Amino acid sequence: RPSRIIVHHTVSTNSTDYSRAQAHAHAHWVQDLHLDKNGWVDTGYHFLVSRGGWITEGRHGSLQALTGGRNFVLGSHTSGQNTQAVGIACEGAYHAGALPPDAQWDVLVTLCAYTCVRYGIPSAQIYGHKDYGETLCPGVYHDMLPRLREEGGRPLGLTGGHRPGAVPP
């Protein structure tokens, strides 16, 4: 099972189309980029969170593995971390002061909290891509990680880097 979550952004257009159709179109765009440009077998991220607050599966089998809580699909999102980290990418470019829409933030918090519970990951183990390499990714999300750790752990009793009373699945 993974021991951490790594948050990314896709450096795509900050679309104002918050529809489910846009979420799916963006997921296909990322998949095509990873397959065609990078030569990978699938999307590198396990999950993508759209600006409208929709979650799409990136790497095939990630959702089934997450809901089971015992298996893990090997991703391709962060060099040196793919065997131990769930990769979650947020649609958009978050450099130069751009902020994520509330719907995206709320769903990211929920997805991180659910992932922490399913895999027994302490919320203190939520990182940004920048923590593992020379990159600007995930942009402003990196500055928001303390808040993500707090909010992502709060609803499920996971704050402070430990799981009081939690039993791994």
Side-chain angles (χ1 to χ4, degrees), residues 9-165:
H9 67 152
T10 61
V11 195
S12 54
T13 302
N14 287 344
S15 174
T16 56
D17 179 352
Y18 298 150
S19 69
R20 183 177 184 178
Q22 167 58 23
H24 286 280
H26 178 260
H28 285 292
W29 175 81
V30 171
Q31 184 180 46
D32 290 346
L33 179 71
H34 287 183
L35 269 71
D36 299 341
K37 184 177 179 191
N38 297 354
W40 298 343
V41 297
D42 199 352
T43 301
Y45 312 114
H46 294 94
F47 300 98
L48 295 110
V49 179
S50 77
R51 289 178 50 82
W54 298 94
I55 299 170
T56 53
E57 182 180 51
R59 182 131 319 194
H60 180 73
S62 296
L63 180 59
Q64 182 178 8
L66 174 63
T67 56
R70 299 196 182 280
N71 299 320
F72 176 62
V73 173
L74 182 66
S76 186
H77 55 88
T78 307
S79 182
Q81 299 300 311
N82 293 313
T83 60
Q84 51 203 324
V86 173
I88 300 174
C90 296
E91 175 190 9
Y94 296 103
H95 299 302
L99 294 175
D102 289 342
Q104 186 177 49
W105 174 259
D106 292 344
V107 168
L108 177 63
V109 168
T110 301
L111 178 58
C112 286
Y114 184 77
T115 301
C116 285
V117 167
R118 296 307 300 165
Y119 285 127
I121 300 170
S123 62
Q125 297 297 105
I126 300 172
Y127 297 97
H129 186 187
K130 181 179 183 174
D131 292 317
Y132 297 99
E134 294 295 320
T135 179
L136 296 175
C137 180
V140 72
Y141 268 112
H142 196 269
D143 297 333
M144 298 172 78
L145 288 174
R147 180 177 159 206
L148 181 59
R149 291 178 190 119
E150 179 184 339
E151 291 182 22
R154 185 181 315 129
L156 304 168
L158 302 173
T159 56
H162 60 286
R163 301 177 333 265

